[in-house]
Amino acid sequence: MDFHIGEHWVVNIFGLNVHMDTLITMWCVMLFILLLSLFAVLNLKLIPNKFQAAFENIVSIFAGLTKNLGGVKSANATLLMSIFLFIILGNMAGQLPWKLIHLPQGEFASPTNDINVTAALAVTVLIYYIVQGIIEKGPSYFKHYFKPMLFMTPFNILEDFTRPLTLAVRLFANILAGEILIMVLGGLVFMLLTPESIMAFTQNILHGLLPETWVYNAGLFIGSLLPLPIMFFELFVAFIQALVFTLLTAAYIETATAKNH
């Protein structure tokens, strides 16, 4: 079984090479978030139903994260919530059975396993917190580049550019590594679960209890469950990575807008 890591379905659009597999899954995730949000606010009630209450709790959590993030708290909350929902749902999208859809090149996977997507998110965060710092403090925002000593200026400027780099690489590497692990484990299961091995294994357990066809199908079912622990672990990683990215974004905004910064 061949594995093609990092291979994408590349299409030239207006002179640009676009990863269409990533673009499609990214837009599917964004469309799902949009429909989810519209459905949550479509019929608001004074006494909310379970779905409305859950969505209001999500909004409240991110509104609470922005209480120390400068004057534009509503914009900060919107950004943090959008980033969190996109990343966690984008991470979880990799657990869907995309392999059933065959592409000219590559395959559908989590949009966050493409460094272009995570880099775009990180650059968005960089531009946003710099703009928020300028809005909050005006031209004096740039004073921190010269602290504590003038010779530190290049390092302070470099820090602003390494922050999005670490955000992008951390998210990309963790999601890609998890999908590779699931792919490898699935490939091992596919290689080991030959008809002969399935029959030998299940006959030792179910010999004489079930017909041979049932025994073979039972072996297939047991084999299909082997990647599940890794897949459940990946769901946990998806949540943690979305949370880390969001909390670091909040920390960067707080640092940029702090009066003593």
Side-chain angles (χ1 to χ4, degrees):
M1 187 174 183
D2 295 328
F3 298 114
H4 303 283
I5 307 302
E7 193 174 287
H8 292 279
W9 174 24
V10 180
V11 176
N12 189 281
I13 301 177
F14 302 118
L16 297 175
N17 290 329
V18 178
H19 294 175
M20 284 300 297
D21 50 339
T22 300
L23 190 66
I24 292 171
T25 53
M26 181 178 67
W27 277 96
C28 286
V29 170
M30 291 191 295
L31 181 62
F32 180 77
I33 294 172
L34 179 62
L35 294 176
L36 192 69
S37 304
L38 290 175
F39 184 72
V41 301
L42 190 62
N43 187 22
L44 294 177
K45 297 178 181 179
L46 187 60
I47 301 177
N49 54 32
K50 292 182 179 179
F51 184 77
Q52 181 182 333
F55 207 81
E56 287 178 356
N57 286 333
I58 293 174
V59 174
S60 298
I61 290 170
F62 287 98
L65 281 176
T66 61
K67 61 183 179 181
N68 298 320
L69 303 186
V72 196
K73 295 181 174 60
S74 59
N76 295 335
T78 302
L79 176 77
L80 293 177
M81 184 167 59
S82 300
I83 286 176
F84 179 81
L85 291 177
F86 175 78
I87 292 177
I88 191 171
L89 292 176
N91 293 347
M92 293 171 65
Q95 307 302 315
L96 298 176
W98 294 111
K99 290 185 181 295
L100 298 177
I101 304 174
H102 297 284
L103 300 177
Q105 290 177 297
E107 63 181 19
F108 289 123
S110 298
T112 46
N113 86 344
D114 191 330
I115 189 65
N116 296 289
V117 173
T118 60
L121 287 171
V123 170
T124 300
V125 170
L126 170 67
I127 295 172
Y128 182 85
Y129 77 70
I130 289 178
V131 170
Q132 288 300 313
I134 296 172
I135 291 174
E136 189 72 20
K137 296 185 285 191
S140 62
Y141 167 78
F142 297 101
K143 288 182 179 179
H144 77 278
Y145 287 134
F146 309 104
K147 297 178 181 179
M149 301 292 290
L150 186 61
F151 75 89
M152 291 295 295
T153 300
F155 301 101
N156 290 332
I157 295 174
L158 183 63
E159 182 185 12
D160 270 345
F161 290 94
T162 55
R163 283 175 174 176
L165 177 64
T166 56
L167 284 175
V169 172
R170 181 190 296 107
L171 178 59
F172 159 74
N174 278 282
I175 301 306
L176 181 63
E179 293 194 352
I180 291 174
L181 185 61
I182 293 174
M183 187 187 304
V184 171
L185 184 59
L188 289 174
V189 171
F190 179 80
M191 292 170 59
L192 295 175
L193 290 183
T194 61
E196 295 77 13
S197 65
I198 292 172
M199 291 298 293
F201 175 74
T202 51
Q203 278 183 345
N204 289 334
I205 300 174
L206 303 174
H207 180 68
L209 300 178
L210 297 172
E212 285 193 359
T213 303
W214 288 24
V215 170
Y216 179 70
N217 291 334
L220 280 179
F221 177 73
I222 293 171
S224 67
L225 297 180
L226 294 180
L228 284 182
I230 300 297
M231 294 178 72
F232 282 122
F233 178 72
E234 275 304 297
L235 294 178
F236 174 73
V237 171
F239 173 78
I240 292 299
Q241 290 303 314
L243 184 63
V244 168
F245 196 104
T246 306
L247 292 178
L248 285 176
T249 300
Y252 296 156
I253 297 172
E254 183 175 5
T255 302
T257 56
K259 297 298 183 181
N260 58 350
H261 179 246

